[in-house]
Amino acid sequence: METTSSDVLAVELLQRECHVKQPLRVVPLFEKLTDLEAALAAMAHLFSIDWYKNRINGKQEVMIGYSDSRKDAGRLSTAWQLYKTQEELVKVAKQYAVKLTMFHGRGGTVGRGGGPTHLAILSQPPNNSWITSCNSSRTLQRLMAATLEHGMHPPVSPKPKWRALMDEIAVVATKEYCSVVFQEPRFVEYFPLATPELEYGRMNIGSRPSKRKPSGGIESLPIILWIFVWTQTRFHLPVWLGFGAAFKHVIEKDIKNLHMLQEMYN
């Protein structure tokens, strides 16, 4: 995962020091919430370096991740930040005349960025073109139908007042999510009792350990395990936690915000 432009340049340096005759392209991954927020500055700095511009030959692929950021801050805040990050990356690429390709690392479950493919494509920012490839004809039909609809009938760009409201909602949702998952001392005890986390750790069915650090807390859990065990309980806590508090906050603050949310939804 990339945090700053130096992460990409370090890989380029490694290839040069190893005398790689045909260097591989380097694709930065922005996944954690802080990384998504820093994506614009990182890519702008890279594109401003003449050597790097020549190295990529005017083409750059960027991967945006949907999983770890959702464990960091919850679904709502992450979805909004992903939207804004895509807008920013498209703008900075146009500014430096770079052809940008974005690879969406969406998981299968809602907690990892999954969900109905058709709606996922339609919810992307305006002017985002989609190129898809799939061997399944049924899935390909859905992808192509959504891609054509998004291109022929682009979604409305968020109004400034909508953006301000979403920013406020995202802050409250993140605060509420983190107050439970990371700041509530009893949650560490509750988690293994409410989910099959310990049982999963004893099963040799995954490619990764059940914890990155044996003595670590929730932050040390791989995202796949985090989502998997909540799915087994059908509680789906990562999907909804923070939503209610965020909407309640803005509606109680000003009833006009309810009408604005309805306007945004419609």
Side-chain angles (χ1 to χ4, degrees):
M1 286 183 277
E2 180 179 356
T3 303
T4 65
S5 55
S6 61
D7 294 325
V8 171
L9 297 175
V11 179
E12 294 286 8
L13 177 61
L14 177 63
Q15 294 190 89
R16 190 179 71 175
E17 292 299 307
C18 292
H19 304 289
V20 178
K21 294 182 179 179
Q22 294 182 333
L24 301 173
R25 60 195 176 95
V26 181
V27 179
L29 164 61
F30 299 100
E31 180 149 8
K32 290 183 175 294
L33 187 65
T34 52
D35 298 342
L36 290 167
E37 292 171 342
L40 172 62
M43 297 313 300
H45 182 235
L46 284 172
F47 294 157
S48 68
I49 301 173
D50 292 336
W51 175 88
Y52 188 79
K53 281 284 295 294
N54 294 331
R55 165 75 176 88
I56 63 175
N57 194 27
K59 298 177 182 178
Q60 175 70 59
E61 181 175 353
V62 172
M63 180 176 177
I64 53 175
Y66 287 66
S67 297
D68 279 80
S69 54
R70 297 200 173 203
K71 185 161 78 77
D72 288 341
R75 179 185 169 202
L76 190 152
S77 304
T78 297
W80 177 234
Q81 186 57 52
L82 282 163
Y83 187 97
K84 293 193 294 183
T85 298
Q86 290 179 72
E87 289 183 315
E88 292 169 348
L89 291 177
V90 168
K91 288 180 181 178
V92 75
K94 287 182 177 179
Q95 178 184 346
Y96 287 94
V98 173
K99 183 179 180 181
L100 179 68
T101 300
M102 279 187 282
F103 170 38
H104 294 253
R106 298 175 67 238
T109 61
V110 174
R112 294 185 61 219
T117 302
H118 188 93
L119 292 176
I121 293 178
L122 294 183
S123 67
Q124 300 305 310
N127 303 318
N128 273 24
S129 300
W130 279 71
I131 300 177
T132 61
S133 59
C134 185
N135 293 327
S136 170
S137 60
R138 179 69 175 170
T139 302
L140 182 59
Q141 289 174 4
R142 292 173 179 167
L143 291 170
M144 291 304 299
T147 302
L148 290 172
E149 184 175 346
H150 185 277
M152 297 173 68
H153 302 285
V156 177
S157 296
K159 301 176 182 178
K161 62 179 182 179
W162 294 1
R163 291 181 181 275
L165 183 60
M166 282 302 302
D167 287 337
E168 183 176 356
I169 288 174
V171 169
V172 176
T174 300
K175 182 179 179 180
E176 181 69 17
Y177 177 89
C178 293
S179 69
V180 174
V181 176
F182 298 111
Q183 298 168 10
E184 170 55 64
R186 294 173 296 175
F187 188 80
V188 176
E189 301 174 8
Y190 168 77
F191 178 64
L193 297 176
T195 69
E197 180 217 358
L198 299 177
E199 289 74 13
Y200 178 88
R202 299 190 190 104
M203 300 172 66
N204 295 319
I205 61 173
S207 60
R208 304 175 188 178
S210 58
K211 278 191 175 183
R212 296 188 178 102
K213 294 181 180 179
S215 61
I218 301 299
E219 70 282 351
S220 67
L221 295 173
I223 182 61
I224 293 176
L225 182 145
W226 171 251
I227 297 298
F228 178 81
V229 295
W230 284 117
T231 302
Q232 297 307 301
T233 67
R234 301 299 187 266
F235 193 42
H236 297 291
L237 178 138
V239 174
W240 54 262
L241 184 60
F243 266 74
F247 281 101
K248 181 181 179 181
H249 169 80
V250 297
I251 293 172
E252 289 183 346
K253 179 181 178 181
D254 189 341
I255 191 61
K256 293 180 180 179
N257 288 333
L258 174 60
H259 304 311
M260 195 187 306
L261 288 169
Q262 293 171 336
E263 180 188 3
M264 293 162 64
Y265 181 80
N266 293 328

